[in-house]
Every structure is written in C-alpha cells, then in structure tokens.
Amino acid sequence: MSVTFRREGPVAYVELDNPPVNAIGLSIRQGLMDALDWIAEEAHLDRVILSGKGRAFAAGADAREFDAAPMPPHLPDVIRRMEQCDVPWIAAVDGVALGGGCELVLGCHYRIAAPGALIGLPEVTLGVIPGAGGTQRLPRLVGLDTALQMISTGKPVNAARALEIGLVHEVAEDVNFAAEEVNAELLTTLPALADLPGPEMDANAVNAARVNASKKTAQQIAPQRAIDLIAASCSEPFETAMLKERATFLDLRQGDQARALRHAFFAERAAKAPERLKAVPTPELTHVAVVGGGTMGAGIAYALLNAGLRVTVLETSAEGVERAQANVKKIIAASLKRGLINDANAEDRRARLVCSDDYGQAADAQLAIEAAFESMEVKKDVFTKLQAVMAPDAVLATNTSYLDVDEIAAVLEDPTRMVGLHFFAPAHIMKLLEIVNGKATSDAALALGFDLAKRLRKVPVLAGVCDGFIGNRILARYREAADSLLLDGALPQDVDAAMRGFGYAMGPYEAQDLSGLDIAFANRRRQDATRDPNRRYVAIGDKMVEAGRLGRKTGSGWYDYSDGQTVDPKVAEIIAAESAVAGVKRREIGAEEISRTLVLAMINEAADIIHEGVAQSARDVDLVTLFGYGFPRWRGGLMHYADVLGPKTVLQGIEALSANDPVAWTVSPLIRDCVERGISFAEASSA
Ligand code: T1G
C-alpha cells in the first residue's frame, strides 16, 4: 500500500509510503484517490493530516514514469479533489516536499513544516515545469515575485523561509502533533488556493526573472515556459491556466532537454561500485593521509575533513608544512565566509587536521592519497616512503592526472594496494572522482575507493589505465581538434564563443588560460616519442609557451589579462605564422562548424575509450563529461548527445572531417558497430 489511511476520532491520517523518498507514482495517486473515496464516506471528521513516511514527505512525481504515457488518476485531478474535499486537509511536512510533493502541500488548506524541511518546485532542473498546479497555486499563495524566483530557478526554501513567505502557516518540531492541535474552527475558514484571485501583474518582476533565467539557464526552455505560466496566473482564470500548464508539462517532458536532464539525474544516482565489489570487505575509514598540500592536496584534505575524517597532510619540509596548513585554512575560511559552515564546524575541521613532514604520522591511516608534483620520480619516492610507514593492508592511491598508475604501482612490494583516485580541482567542490583500476589493483583497493566516493558524496566513475584515463583523454582530443581549427583559420575567441554557444560555461581556450598552457605542453612533450608521424601536429600551443604565454598566471595566454580578458593581436600573429609554416590557406570557420567538429572529435575519442574498455559504458562517459568537464547538463552528457545525433549522423560527420587528418579522424570501431547493428551508444555499452 503506497498510501495508508486511518482515523482516530475526528482526525483522519493519510500517509504516503513509497520508499525511499515517496516518489509520486501511479500507486500513490491511486492511493490518494482511494483515501478521498474513504473520507467521503466517513462522518464527523474535522481534518485530514497528510504526511510522508520516512525521510521525505514526497520527492515529486516519479520521473521514471515520464517516458510512458501518463496514467490516470493524474496528479492535478487528485490535488483538485483534495482541495475541494469537505474535510480540510493539513500538510504535515517533515523532510523534503519537492515538485509534485510541494503541489500536494499547496492542495492542502493548512501547511506545517518541521524545522529541517525543504519545500520547492525543482521541475526545471529536470527540463519540465510544475505540472500539477504549482505555477498557478504558488503565486496565489506567496505572490508573483517569490513564485517567479522559486519556480524559474527550481531552488527549494527551508522551513524558516517557507514561514516567512507564507508558504506554511507554522513550523513545528512534531508536525503531526501540531496538525492535531490546529483550531478546528480556523480550519473551516481556510480557502482553497484555486479559489483565490491571481496576483497583480508586475511586468518588471517577470522581465527580471526572464533575464535571470536566460543568464543562469541559457538555452533552456523550461524556465522560460514556467515564467509564461506564472505570468498567466495574473490574468487568466485558474482552470484555463491549468489546462495550459498541463499541456506545457506534457509537451516538455518528451523533449530532448527533459530527456537529457532525466538521464543525467538517474545516471548520477546509478554511479555506484560494480556489483562484484559489494561483497568485498573494507575497513571503516577514519584516518586518511594526503601527500602534498598544494592546491589539489589542500582541496582533497578539505573534502575529507568535510566528511568527518581525520586527515594528515604530509609535506617534505617545514615550509611545505606551513604552506599546506595555510592552504587548508584558506579553504576553511572561505567556507566560513560563504556560510557553508559555522564557527564550530570550522573548529572541528581544524581539530581533525594535522600537517607534518613526518610520514610516521600516517602510520594508522587506512588510506593515503598522493597529490604530489606530476613527476614519475617524485611519485615513486612518495610511495616508497608511504610503504615504509603504513600498515600492509592500507590502500595507497595516486591522484595523478596523466601518469601511468601501473608504473607507479611497480615500486611497491604489493602493487595490488595501489589505486588511482583522480580528483578534479577544486577537489572539495567538483563532484567527479575517476577511480583508476590499475593492472594489479585489487578489488579491496577499488572497493575502498568507492567507499570513499560515497563518503565524500562524489560521483565515482571506474576508469582503466591509459593516457588521461577517460576525462583528460577526451579533453586532449578536444584541444587537439580545436588547435587544428586554429591552424585552418579560426581564432581562440571564435572557438570559445562557439563552444559557449553549444552550452559550455567556458570555451577551451579561456579554460586553458585558467589551468595553464604548460600542462598540455608537458603532455605533448611526454608523447613526442610515441606520436604517429602521419598525425597532423599543431605547434601553436608550443609557440605560445615558448613566448611565455602560459595563461592567467603569466598575465597572458590565449588572451591578454592586463585589463580583464581581452583579445590580443599577438596571438593571431602567432597563429597566422604557424598556418604559413604549415602551408595552410586560412579560411573563415563558422560557429556551427566549430562546435560540430569539436563535439564529433570528443565523441569519436569517447567511443574508442568505451571500445577499449577504459570506460565501462556510455553512461560513465556522460558522468565524466557532465561532472568533470562542464558539458552542458541539458544535453545529457557527451554520449547521450551522441545518441540524440544518432550513430549514423556521427559516422557521416566524422568521415566528412577525416580528409584533413585521416589519422586523428579514424572512425572508432564502436561507432561503425552501432551503425551496422542499428543500436544506440547506450545499448552498445550498457554496463
Ligand atoms: N522520481 C523517481 N525517483 C526518484 C525521484 C523522483 N522524483 N527522486 C528521487 N528518486 C530516487 C533516486 O533515483 C534514488 O533511487 C532514490 O530515490 C534516492 O534518491 C508533477 C512533474 C528527493 C532530494 O526533482 O532531488 O514532480 O538510486 O539518491 O540524496 O509537477 O532524490 O535508490 O534507485 O537522490 O537523499 C520533481 C528529485 C519531479 C526531486 C533525495 N522532483 N529528487 O535526495 O536521495 S518532477 C525532483 C531529489 C515533478 C510535478 C513534477 C532527491 C531528493 P535509487 P537520492 P537523496
């Protein structure tokens, strides 16, 4: 039974019970209709208390039903019946009431929240709009401006804010008890929100919401459509506007953007340890050592402190120790300033942090994460020292971005304890964690890696060993294809604008100016010996580094930073000179060709990565590109987008580009396989 109902005296109790978060699927909608039928037959009831069993009131409509035809009873009809019920309904909200959960609350006549409750309409984050009255009832309850903010951003409010804006009548520790205590007389006077007049139109507020949505959720349809419907609440009769809301919801949920956002939502939740690791025993994590207190090390240390762990940051000198201490404390201070933690939390984190140049301090750590300089010699030395002090069953992890995990593991007497844990800067903010499975890596080491990911609330993705694992290998191909377009006629600002137009927050050149051109330079040097001489090599990046243009940190890179970020004519000169040396006649290259070329290059590389088994599935590539590299979430991730294009279109697109550089554009066997078998990338590689 997804909905239970009973009465005690004049009080009817209706409880949602669909673990884990009371997602409102058909069983709940039908259960509520059954409860309403029962209530209609009961006499002498003065209230119905609606609550959610477990940790949520209700997480919203069951998004897994959105791919199928809608099944009656439909939520808007259920809520309308609650609202018109002769017995007043009280929402007793403990936990989250989101989406349809919030719309159930709005269908009640009296609303109570527990202090830790979160109430909101996040539908736009799934590419849809509130489809059960939210766009019409919320403005009638909290006013136009607040409704515009809440619905177009999808951000929920906490109990205090809900009380402040009038979304709930009261906040109470024990919401059920408070509901029993509400004055019965008062309950009979409370109107149904649908019967209230809509709010006054405020064109400025509507425009402000549109401008904000076009900035924060550029190119996304749902926020703008939500704003249209909220504005309609000012002028159109409730029932008329409700028909429009329903039609808009049904239209959006089948669209590419909603499918992509649903895919991203469920892919993130499916990111768990492979089945075989579930049975592998792992130690309880209490103490983790981090080697290297630079930017990455400090970020990792802070993520560990945030998860309640004891952390020892190891350095090689007193200065290093001081620098590590300062770096972690800087992050703590920044979190304090942003209100993410309070003074007590900050003190608690500082108390669990030790920075030291004595490796012996790590002796009882269950795990060590090396985040030292990206040099094979340095890493081998670190692991030799760790091995000497840590327990033989402690797991040793490297955060290397590019270096060969197997070669590092070879310095250990027991290489099975080595695993790659590739964090992304800033490590305490970026959710992606690539867990790199070395040749010798044991299941115990992998399992501990996934335990850590869960503890840190990261999105874990299993990666095989190759140059750059999954994400950086795709990034290297993205940059190589971009540099090739520079040689043919594009300029950095053209490429960046084109990729921002595709949906990235930042293009590849402005991004590289942030991380530094020297990293890719070092990687190209590392690959010199093994590069295919028939593969087009673009030396523009090398010339930039030779000219001292390393990016923001040197005041200039692909752009000039002496006064903000500006286009620098010197860069175009360097590029033109390289085109001349290469004998290339430069041509105009438009934004559509740029974005198509770069996305196809990434898709082809990702297809190889899946084909080689470095990534387990297309979905894992989506997680990496979404949570580590800023791929637009409303496109669902690189391979979800590849499936939107379709394998045949991908194949044709790549073949059309291969003339210029047949080696770089060799079509991945996975793509040919999908076309020949008539299957999607998701089907070809479903883990
Ligand atoms: N539909 C289906 N499954 C859901 C779900 C949902 N709305 N929300 C959560 N789950 C599953 C999730 O996939 C996971 O499954 C498990 O529940 C625990 O979730 C008509 C149209 C509620 C804050 O956007 O934000 O209502 O992996 O791991 O971290 O107008 O889930 O265990 O198999 O996330 O504690 C609007 C989405 C829907 C809220 C809990 N609602 N959910 O977070 O647990 S559209 C939302 C969340 C709608 C109406 C419209 C979070 C959470 P599994 P979890 P959590």
Side-chain angles (χ1 to χ4, degrees):
M1 287 283 280
S2 299
V3 176
T4 57
F5 40 87
R6 60 185 171 85
R7 70 177 291 169
E8 280 173 29
V11 180
Y13 295 89
V14 175
E15 186 178 52
L16 309 179
D17 181 10
N18 181 24
V21 290
N22 297 327
I24 304 169
L26 177 61
S27 63
I28 281 203
R29 299 196 302 274
Q30 191 50 61
L32 285 169
M33 285 304 231
D34 298 345
L36 282 155
D37 292 343
W38 167 72
I39 288 163
E41 296 305 313
E42 291 293 306
H44 310 311
L45 283 173
D46 73 0
R47 67 196 70 196
V48 180
I49 299 177
L50 177 64
S51 61
K53 192 171 181 185
R55 59 193 169 100
F57 175 83
D62 187 337
R64 277 171 291 226
E65 293 183 351
F66 288 2
D67 291 324
M71 293 280 286
H74 303 304
L75 192 55
D77 303 332
V78 173
I79 293 170
R80 195 81 177 104
R81 229 187 120 189
M82 285 164 55
E83 192 173 53
Q84 292 173 336
C85 180
D86 294 340
V87 184
W89 283 63
I90 302 174
V93 181
D94 197 355
V96 294
L98 298 173
C102 174
E103 290 168 309
L104 280 176
V105 171
L106 295 171
C108 293
H109 304 82
Y110 192 87
R111 297 168 282 277
I112 306 171
L118 267 184
I119 307 178
L121 293 167
E123 285 84 344
V124 294
T125 64
L126 289 176
V128 292
I129 50 110
T135 67
Q136 303 307 310
R137 289 193 176 89
L138 190 67
R140 283 172 165 79
L141 183 60
V142 302
L144 179 68
D145 201 6
T146 305
L148 283 165
Q149 291 312 314
M150 283 184 68
I151 296 174
S152 66
T153 63
K155 286 201 175 63
V157 295
N158 62 26
R161 179 71 179 141
L163 184 65
E164 203 178 316
I165 61 176
L167 180 48
V168 297
H169 294 85
E170 61 176 283
V171 175
E173 284 296 337
D174 181 338
V175 289
N176 275 312
F177 176 69
E180 290 158 357
E181 294 298 297
V182 178
N183 174 286
E185 200 48 43
L186 167 69
L187 284 175
T188 61
T189 67
L190 297 172
L193 291 176
D195 299 340
L196 296 180
E200 279 300 302
M201 169 49 82
D202 175 348
N204 293 335
V206 172
N207 292 336
R210 281 199 196 289
V211 168
N212 184 51
S214 58
K215 270 201 212 111
K216 296 272 174 51
T217 46
Q219 302 187 56
Q220 294 182 48
I221 306 163
Q224 300 295 342
R225 300 283 292 276
I227 292 168
D228 296 342
L229 287 159
I230 298 161
S233 75
C234 302
S235 55
E236 301 193 17
F238 181 82
E239 295 305 342
T240 314
M242 281 296 284
L243 292 175
K244 282 189 182 169
E245 181 193 79
R246 186 77 186 151
T248 303
F249 166 66
L250 293 175
D251 171 46
L252 285 174
R253 68 172 211 163
Q254 293 313 316
D256 282 350
Q257 290 191 5
R259 287 179 186 281
L261 288 165
R262 266 199 308 279
H263 169 73
F265 175 84
F266 287 114
E268 181 183 355
R269 284 154 181 80
K272 293 174 179 140
E275 214 40 50
R276 78 169 194 280
L277 298 181
K278 288 234 168 35
V280 175
T282 50
E284 193 214 346
L285 276 170
T286 55
H287 179 196
V288 179
V290 176
V291 180
T295 310
M296 270 315 267
I300 295 169
Y302 187 69
L304 296 164
L305 290 168
N306 267 348
L309 291 159
R310 203 153 56 81
V311 180
T312 299
V313 179
L314 296 171
E315 268 287 348
T316 50
S317 65
E319 299 72 31
V321 169
E322 230 172 276
R323 179 177 61 116
Q325 193 92 32
N327 284 342
V328 179
K329 291 205 165 155
K330 204 160 62 182
I331 301 174
I332 293 176
S335 301
L336 253 177
K337 191 153 171 266
R338 288 177 54 204
L340 298 173
I341 57 172
N342 59 31
D343 288 331
N345 304 144
E347 196 34 52
D348 165 51
R349 282 157 179 73
R350 281 191 281 266
R352 283 187 279 109
L353 170 68
V354 167
C355 295
S356 170
D357 56 4
D358 166 16
Y359 271 52
Q361 297 271 354
D364 71 342
Q366 295 85 19
L367 167 69
I369 303 171
E370 170 271 317
F373 184 65
E374 276 293 88
S375 134
M376 191 52 87
E377 294 333 302
V378 167
K379 292 184 189 304
K380 286 181 176 176
D381 175 53
V382 162
F383 284 104
T384 306
K385 289 188 342 195
L386 285 172
Q387 173 178 254
V389 297
M390 292 179 77
D393 61 351
V395 170
L396 305 179
T398 173
N399 170 61
T400 186
S401 301
Y402 283 94
L403 300 181
D404 186 332
V405 173
D406 297 333
E407 188 182 337
I408 300 171
V411 297
L412 298 174
E413 281 148 37
D414 172 12
T416 68
R417 55 197 291 208
M418 165 71 72
V419 64
L421 290 180
H422 184 214
F423 288 82
F424 289 77
H428 57 293
I429 293 171
M430 294 296 278
K431 292 189 78 171
L432 179 63
L433 178 63
E434 279 181 319
I435 299 180
V436 185
N437 185 7
K439 258 208 293 293
T441 302
S442 65
D443 278 357
L446 279 183
L448 194 66
F450 278 93
D451 285 358
L452 179 75
K454 193 172 175 145
R455 183 77 182 267
L456 302 183
R457 291 183 75 84
K458 294 281 182 186
V459 177
V461 174
L462 189 62
V465 175
C466 74
D467 194 322
F469 315 130
I470 300 172
N472 278 343
R473 178 168 153 186
I474 292 171
L475 175 63
R477 178 68 189 108
Y478 176 45
R479 286 192 171 140
E480 180 192 40
D483 288 355
S484 197
L485 287 174
L486 294 187
L487 205 62
D488 290 339
L491 290 172
Q493 58 272 28
D494 305 330
V495 175
D496 286 345
M499 296 320 285
R500 265 187 269 113
F502 179 79
Y504 281 88
M506 198 180 279
Y509 292 105
E510 47 202 349
Q512 194 173 44
D513 270 352
L514 273 179
S515 55
L517 279 70
D518 43 329
I519 297 171
F521 177 84
N523 287 326
R524 287 193 298 273
R525 296 296 68 81
R526 199 165 36 77
Q527 295 158 349
D528 282 341
T530 53
R531 184 173 298 112
D532 182 332
N534 298 315
R535 187 176 186 124
R536 189 190 219 194
Y537 182 77
V538 180
I540 296 169
D542 301 341
K543 299 297 177 206
M544 297 288 285
V545 170
E546 285 158 22
R549 302 180 71 100
L550 302 189
R552 283 176 181 270
K553 61 186 175 186
T554 56
S556 73
W558 297 104
Y559 296 91
D560 180 63
Y561 294 95
S562 50
D563 177 17
Q565 175 181 312
T566 53
V567 170
D568 185 343
K570 289 199 199 75
V571 174
E573 287 163 21
I574 292 173
I575 293 169
E578 281 308 297
S579 298
V581 166
V584 170
K585 189 171 175 342
R586 292 180 64 77
R587 66 184 175 85
E588 274 297 303
I589 303 177
E592 197 286 327
E593 179 183 350
I594 291 171
S595 60
R596 176 165 37 81
T597 303
L598 299 191
V599 171
L600 286 173
M602 289 195 280
I603 291 171
N604 198 32
E605 193 65 33
D608 274 342
I609 288 169
I610 297 166
H611 180 69
E612 293 162 24
V614 171
Q616 304 291 301
S617 64
R619 185 185 66 202
D620 276 3
V621 171
D622 290 338
L623 290 171
V624 168
T625 50
L626 287 171
F627 291 99
Y629 294 81
F631 195 89
R633 188 180 171 93
W634 52 273
R635 293 190 188 273
L638 181 63
M639 296 312 281
H640 179 86
Y641 180 68
D643 273 327
V644 170
L645 293 176
K648 214 173 274 166
T649 305
V650 167
L651 176 58
Q652 287 159 356
I654 291 169
E655 286 177 334
L657 289 162
S658 61
N660 218 3
D661 187 353
V663 173
W665 287 102
T666 303
V667 176
S668 168
L670 182 85
I671 296 173
R672 291 199 189 285
D673 184 44
C674 286
V675 172
E676 276 146 33
R677 291 166 58 196
I679 58 171
S680 68
F681 294 112
E683 288 165 314
S685 59
S686 48

